[in-house]
């Protein structure tokens, strides 16, 4: 395939030229805007911290060793992973049916539904989290409603718990998942579902054998997106989790504030490497199962 | 293999009937073709049989059993889609195995039946290809094999040939028909191509606006159409319009045409082009009228001659292309003749003014 493409391009060198012209600025922006700060961070993470001198030039793995030997940091790390996994899993489970509905309904309803899904994205994370705070608090809507319904005797305190953070992050991430899945599901011919039915597959089998494998690229994309967003969530854990609840992104920021740049850089790198690593693994896994 | 019966089947969308009071009885091993213009409810009917559209009224029986409310996966129908709908992520062999796996057939048995089914459509060498690596004609045959490999009671084909080019279409047409007859499988096919319908069917069903107009063999539909619509849709006809009284139609152009008896009043007589003789001297026939050749189409096997008989009346004749025969020219003065057996129909429908052969 690539051979044919190259042959085609060789006949028309102007295409090649214009393509590189178009890609050029973006490449430059990525190089300067992302790569350069990362290099700085990488370098910083190997420096040492001193309360008076702040940063001391060095080539030491001390920050990384500190992280992996300290139960506090590891605790934060695993909380972040746990929250991210739970959020992503729930987003898939909730997002798939919603995306399917969107992909298969008629045009007028669909546009309304898409608007409904996109509108929350217009509100910033912090503002949204503030909204959840009024909902979750002990005198908030949820607690009062549960008491009014007689489901709970005392006030329900979700605010400043992991549950609140998970709900908050799901609310932020779900639209991304739904929109990603929807675009993929829309590309799956409806006749394929009917073909499976007429060959004797009941709905659940049809889903497992046809819809799921065909939607897998979209599921992978949505999962990765959702997971990255959850791993790096900042405003939601800070506002809904409260001072006792910690995730990685807020902790990186804390260390910067404490002027411990080397540790902050190391934390940032660990966060990034984990996210990247799991993303690659997820990508490889979907590719494998798509072949098999 | 089983008998398929539709009893008073209707599908209503709000006030609109996509299919209305359809009665069909398809015998075991018979091939029935639903024929009709776009939007007449052919696909709707087929999808009700397959179970994808819930009937508003009526009963569907397969092999005598009432399956009206069975879901699609519990009916033994094999459906071939217009766009084939092969599973793009599965190889040809696994596409075929799908239905067998759903029926929990043993692995070795699956392999054997998949192989046999592929051999049947002469594609055994492509078993490990993905659908996108096949030509349209090959995909079509895979789709057919996939539907047949599970040995369904009823085979349903929705315009199975419409995505093939003309030459291939004729080939596949013969192939499908031969296969259907060899397996003796009860089949319902949908098409709006009358040539396809005529060449493949045991019996045809002509539909219009959701209703069945006529059911019968090719010959019955051609020789004894029940109304003007069927006469215009199956085969070609020129229509002369006027008032019918006692077997004579008086056209607006002043012709008096002898025809089969019909209801007195506004009527149209359908004249098959190949039954019209055009000659310079008046031929011997019950209806003979002088006229002027308006247009000649040289089609190779035959020649279409359009003759104006009066300012209001035009008839088309299909002349055999005889070696060294006479070839009329536009503007020639000629005579057109045909027998009195031409069918007359009550002329209530207006929109069929356009159905005249051109
Ligand atoms: N879901 C639906 N809602 C409303 N009307 C429908 C629906 N499905 C079909 N129809 C209408 O029912 C009529 C019959 O449709 P159908 O698809 O059966 O036609 P068809 O004979 O298969 O035509 P074609 O040859 O174009 O495929 C059409 O007028 C169509 O607009
Ligand atoms: Mg149709």
């Amino acid at each position: 395939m690539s051979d044919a493409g190259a042959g085609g391009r060789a006949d028309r060198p102007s295409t090649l030229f214009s393509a590189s012209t178009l890609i050029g600025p973006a490449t430059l922006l990525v190089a300067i805007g992302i790569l350069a700060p990362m290099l700085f961070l990488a370098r910083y993470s190997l420096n040492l911290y001193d309360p008076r001198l702040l940063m001391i030039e060095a080539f030491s793995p001390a920050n990384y060793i500190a992280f992996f030997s300290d139960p506090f940091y590891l605790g934060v790390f695993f909380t972040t992973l746990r929250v991210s996994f739970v959020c992503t899993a729930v987003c898939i489970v909730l997002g798939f049916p919603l995306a399917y509905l969107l992909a298969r309904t008629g045009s007028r309803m669909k546009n309304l539904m898409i608007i409904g899904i996109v509108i929350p994205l217009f509100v910033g994370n912090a503002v949204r989290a503030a909204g959840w705070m009024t909902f979750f608090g002990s005198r908030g809507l949820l607690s009062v409603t549960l008491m009014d319904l007689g489901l709970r005797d005392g006030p329900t305190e979700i605010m400043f718990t992991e549950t609140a953070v998970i709900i908050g992050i799901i609310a932020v991430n779900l639209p991304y998942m739904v929109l990603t899945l929807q675009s993929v599901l829309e590309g799956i011919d409806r006749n394929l579902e009917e073909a499976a039915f007429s060959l004797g597959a009941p709905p659940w089998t049809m889903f497992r054998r046809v819809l799921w494998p065909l939607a897998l690229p979209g599921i992978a994309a949505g999962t990765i997106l959702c997971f990255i967003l959850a791993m790096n969530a900042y405003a939601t854990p800070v506002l809904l989790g409260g001072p006792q609840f910690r995730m990685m992104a807020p902790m990186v920021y804390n260390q910067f504030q404490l002027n411990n740049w080397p540790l902050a850089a190391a934390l940032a790198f660990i966060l990034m490497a984990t996210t990247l690593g799991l993303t690659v693994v997820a990508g490889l896994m979907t590719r494998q199962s798509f072949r098999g | 293999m089983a008998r398929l019966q539709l009893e008073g089947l209707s599908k209503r969308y709000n006030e609109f009937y996509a299919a209305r009071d359809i009665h069909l009885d398809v015998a075991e091993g018979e091939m029935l073709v639903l024929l009709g213009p776009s939007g007449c409810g052919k696909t709707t009917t087929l999808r009700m049989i397959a179970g994808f559209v819930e009937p508003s009224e009526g009963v569907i029986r397969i092999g005598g059993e009432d399956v009206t409310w069975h879901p699609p996966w519990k009916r033994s129908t094999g459906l071939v889609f217009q766009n084939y709908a092969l599973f793009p992520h599965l190889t040809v062999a696994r596409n075929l195995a799908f239905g067998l796996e759903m029926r929990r057939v043993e692995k070795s048995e699956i392999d054997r039946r998949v192989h046999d089914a592929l051999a049947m459509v002469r594609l055994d060498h492509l078993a490990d290809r993905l659908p996108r690596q096949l030509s349209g004609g090959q995909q079509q045959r895979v789709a057919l094999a996939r539907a047949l490999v599970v040995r369904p009671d009823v085979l349903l084909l929705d315009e199975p040939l419409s995505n093939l080019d003309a030459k291939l279409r004729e080939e596949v047409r013969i192939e499908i028909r031969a296969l259907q007859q060899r397996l003796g499988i009860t089949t319902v096919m949908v098409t709006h191509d009358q040539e396809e319908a005529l060449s493949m069917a045991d019996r045809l069903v002509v539909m219009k606006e959701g209703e069945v107009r006529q059911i019968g063999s090719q010959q019955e539909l051609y020789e004894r159409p029940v109304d003007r619509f069927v006469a215009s849709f199956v085969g070609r006809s020129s229509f002369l319009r006027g008032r019918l009284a006692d077997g004579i139609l008086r056209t607006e152009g002043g012709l008096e045409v002898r025809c089969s008896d019909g209801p007195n009043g506004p009527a149209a007589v359908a004249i098959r082009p190949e039954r019209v003789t055009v000659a310079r001297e008046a031929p011997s026939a019950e209806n003979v009228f002088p006229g002027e050749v308006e247009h000649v189409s040289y089609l190779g096997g035959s020649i279409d001659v359009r003759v104006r008989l009066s300012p209001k009346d035009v008839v088309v004749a299909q002349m055999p292309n005889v070696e060294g025969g006479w070839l009329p020219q536009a503007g020639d003065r000629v005579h057109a003749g045909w027998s009195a057996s031409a069918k007359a129909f009550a002329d209530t429908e207006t929109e069929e003014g356009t159905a005249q052969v051109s």
Side-chain angles (χ1 to χ4, degrees), chain B residues 11-14 16-19 34-47 53 82 158-159 190-192 207 209-210:
Chain B
K11 178 63 196 180
R12 210 177 46 231
Y13 294 106
N14 300 319
F16 172 77
Y17 278 92
L34 305 184
L35 180 65
S38 187
C40 71
K42 307 181 294 289
T43 298
T44 304
T45 306
L46 203 73
R47 288 170 57 81
V53 172
Q82 189 172 352
D158 192 356
E159 311 217 13
V190 158
T191 180
H192 57 242
M207 293 180 67
E209 288 163 4

Side-chain angles (χ1 to χ4, degrees), chain A:
Chain A
M1 202 168 22
S2 59
D3 285 352
R9 261 182 236 130
D11 299 338
R12 288 175 295 158
S14 62
T15 318
L16 190 65
F17 173 72
S18 64
S20 68
T21 321
L22 288 174
I23 295 172
T27 316
L28 210 66
L29 202 69
V30 169
I32 296 173
I34 297 177
L35 235 45
M38 286 218 317
L39 286 175
F40 276 110
L41 270 187
R43 179 67 196 86
Y44 282 3
S45 73
L46 298 174
N47 284 342
L48 292 175
Y49 173 73
D50 180 279
R52 278 171 301 130
L53 298 171
L54 299 183
M55 190 149 71
I56 303 169
E57 294 272 328
F59 256 110
S60 150
N63 293 307
Y64 292 97
I65 291 170
F67 176 87
F68 284 110
S69 55
D70 189 329
F72 172 73
Y73 291 134
L74 284 179
V76 174
F77 181 66
F78 285 119
T79 304
T80 307
L81 279 179
R82 185 174 61 239
V83 168
S84 300
F85 275 120
V86 171
C87 288
T88 306
V90 174
C91 276
I92 294 174
V93 173
L94 292 182
F96 198 99
L98 209 58
Y100 182 80
L101 207 70
L102 265 181
R104 295 287 188 244
T105 43
S107 52
R108 206 177 315 154
M109 274 303 287
K110 180 156 116 190
N111 289 338
L112 279 179
M113 283 165 73
I114 288 184
I115 290 169
I117 285 171
V118 172
I119 274 184
L121 298 178
F122 284 97
V123 183
N125 283 355
V127 177
R128 198 167 2 182
W132 283 111
M133 289 167 81
T134 64
F135 184 72
F136 286 147
S138 56
R139 307 187 62 105
L141 193 61
L142 181 68
S143 173
V144 172
T145 311
L146 286 178
M147 278 191 285
D148 285 351
L149 291 173
L151 295 174
R152 289 289 192 113
D153 293 333
T156 311
E157 189 59 88
I158 298 185
M159 195 57 206
F160 299 145
T161 64
E162 190 169 314
T163 313
V165 176
I166 287 175
I167 293 175
I169 293 178
I170 288 169
V172 174
N173 290 2
L174 194 56
Y176 294 100
M177 180 64 97
V178 170
L179 294 178
T180 312
L181 285 179
Q182 180 233 338
S183 71
V184 173
L185 288 175
E186 225 153 59
I188 300 176
D189 183 1
R190 188 167 200 158
N191 283 348
L192 294 178
E193 297 172 35
E194 296 191 342
F197 288 144
S198 86
L199 286 168
W204 172 247
T205 312
M206 183 285 288
F207 171 78
R208 220 166 30 81
R209 297 282 306 266
V210 176
L211 216 48
W212 180 266
L214 287 177
L216 210 54
I219 293 166
T223 304
I224 288 168
L225 188 64
C226 204
F227 186 74
I228 291 173
L229 287 171
M231 284 291 281
N232 294 289
Y234 179 81
T236 315
V238 168
L239 291 172
L240 297 183
Q244 300 305 313
F245 181 82
R246 283 178 199 282
M247 277 173 68
M248 287 293 278
M251 195 163 72
V252 172
Y253 182 68
N254 273 352
Q255 292 304 325
F256 275 122
Q257 273 194 321
L258 296 172
N259 282 325
N260 191 345
W261 280 55
L263 181 59
L267 291 177
F269 246 80
I270 289 163
L271 177 60
M272 202 167 64
T274 313
T275 312
L276 208 67
L278 287 170
T279 301
V280 170
V281 169
L284 287 178
M285 266 164 52
T286 52
R287 189 176 302 172
Q288 201 108 81
S289 65
F290 199 62
R291 281 213 197 99

Side-chain angles (χ1 to χ4, degrees), chain B residues 164-179:
Chain B
L164 302 177
D165 64 61
K167 188 145 170 41
L168 197 57
R169 204 176 300 176
E170 208 164 307
E171 231 176 272
V172 178
R173 197 153 82 190
I174 295 166
E175 202 171 307
I176 292 183
R177 176 62 167 155
L179 205 59

Side-chain angles (χ1 to χ4, degrees), chain B residues 53-76:
Chain B
V53 172
E54 264 183 28
S56 311
E57 290 141 46
V59 174
I60 302 167
R61 287 181 207 283
I62 295 177
E65 187 192 2
D66 181 349
V67 299
T68 316
W69 300 105
H70 290 191
W73 54 92
K74 293 209 176 126
R75 299 184 190 201
S76 184

Side-chain angles (χ1 to χ4, degrees), chain B residues 198-212:
Chain B
L198 291 170
S199 68
M200 294 178 78
D202 287 312
R203 275 193 308 155
L204 297 120
V205 179
V206 180
M207 293 180 67
K208 187 180 184 222
E209 288 163 4
E211 295 182 50
V212 171

